[in-house]
Amino acid sequence: GMMMEYPGGEDDLIELEGEVTVIEDDADTDADTDWAAAYEDYFTRKDIIPENMKVTMSMDMEGITMDIVVATVGDSSYMGYAFDSASLDLYATKETVYAHMVMAGEESWIYAPVTSAEEVDSVMSMAGETTIVDAENVSSCTYVETVVEEGVTYDVLLLEVDDGSATGNAYYYVNRETQKVDKFTMEQDGQFVECFVEEMNSIEVPAEAANATEGTMEDIAGALFAVLLSAMSVGME
């Protein structure tokens, strides 16, 4: 029980039966947490990355700045390359793949009917990978530190990765509140890559795609290579 003043009178007291629960401050609770133990098996959890997501990354390859966006929502997917001089957007649905190309100041749309899932996977995979680490390739997961960025608390985890042919490290920035990965960084082909992860609800094909010219999957792949070669040629000038 506990005694407390009753606001109806100066000297009146009332007794409350029951236990009193003390709510500890969150900061004190966090300070007592063994974060190394808490995140030891983190990379094996199933819900650390949204099922429907968009990954945004920026790379600098031999002086060429490249922004890559990879998104998947259900049966739809999107991949985009953006350079200083050219860009390509790929939208894939179950029935159609659309390509929007901007190069040398000109833009165009083409589309190709889907004839097989393998064909779509082949074209879309050429546009880039999400570089999400496969849990089967993680040899260790270690808590490194806690950082606060723009008011959000992140626990930084070091993942040592070995896919059988190459080894490397990746750093996961885990949002302490949601326990999901909001960002990860890694060294890839000698380049530092920073990737941001966010959940998506849908992928919308722009209205301009309605005026696209019909082509084939080979034409879609050709558009990708044309944009890449255009960006490389500008970077070499």
Side-chain angles (χ1 to χ4, degrees):
M2 63 177 289
M3 303 297 291
M4 65 177 291
E5 292 188 8
Y6 180 69
E10 295 181 358
D11 300 322
D12 293 334
L13 297 175
I14 61 174
E15 184 175 354
L16 303 178
E17 296 294 334
E19 298 180 354
V20 177
T21 301
V22 178
I23 300 176
E24 297 181 356
D25 185 84
D26 289 343
D28 294 337
T29 303
D30 290 346
D32 295 336
T33 301
D34 184 352
W35 295 112
Y39 286 109
E40 188 174 7
D41 65 342
Y42 179 80
F43 68 95
T44 65
R45 303 176 192 175
K46 301 298 184 182
D47 59 347
I48 62 176
I49 300 290
E51 182 177 355
N52 297 323
M53 65 173 179
K54 178 174 73 172
V55 178
T56 304
M57 63 196 86
S58 181
M59 303 175 63
D60 189 327
M61 301 180 64
E62 299 181 356
I64 301 174
T65 301
M66 175 172 55
D67 294 322
I68 305 174
V69 178
V70 181
T72 55
V73 177
D75 294 326
S76 300
S77 58
Y78 165 82
M79 290 185 180
Y81 267 141
F83 301 91
D84 292 336
S85 59
S87 66
L88 178 73
D89 301 291
L90 295 178
Y91 301 86
T93 68
K94 293 181 66 174
E95 296 82 17
T96 313
V97 175
Y98 297 90
H100 175 228
M101 180 171 55
V102 178
M103 187 171 58
E106 301 290 335
E107 66 175 306
S108 60
W109 279 91
I110 60 174
Y111 76 93
V114 172
T115 57
S116 70
E118 293 76 16
E119 196 174 38
V120 175
D121 291 340
S122 176
V123 172
M124 297 299 283
S125 65
M126 288 191 299
E129 299 291 341
T130 61
T131 62
I132 296 292
V133 175
D134 190 333
E136 295 181 355
N137 298 330
V138 177
S139 55
S140 70
C141 177
T142 307
Y143 166 77
V144 178
E145 62 177 343
T146 296
V147 299
V148 178
E149 297 181 356
E150 298 182 359
V152 180
T153 300
Y154 295 104
D155 294 316
V156 184
L157 310 181
L158 169 61
L159 276 64
E160 296 185 5
V161 184
D162 185 350
D163 64 3
S165 60
T167 60
N169 296 330
Y171 289 90
Y172 272 11
Y173 285 68
V174 181
N175 185 313
R176 181 175 292 182
E177 181 179 354
T178 65
Q179 284 296 289
K180 295 185 181 293
V181 178
D182 282 2
K183 180 176 74 170
F184 59 95
T185 63
M186 64 178 64
E187 292 284 340
Q188 187 179 57
D189 298 329
Q191 301 293 329
F192 175 79
V193 182
E194 184 175 43
C195 308
F196 297 90
V197 182
E198 59 184 291
E199 193 166 6
M200 287 193 72
N201 296 321
S202 63
I203 295 176
E204 303 293 336
V205 179
E208 293 82 356
N211 299 319
T213 302
E214 184 174 1
T216 64
M217 286 298 180
E218 288 76 14
D219 295 327
I220 300 287
L224 171 60
F225 285 119
V227 168
L228 292 175
L229 290 174
S230 174
M232 292 176 62
S233 63
V234 171
M236 296 173 61
E237 291 178 356

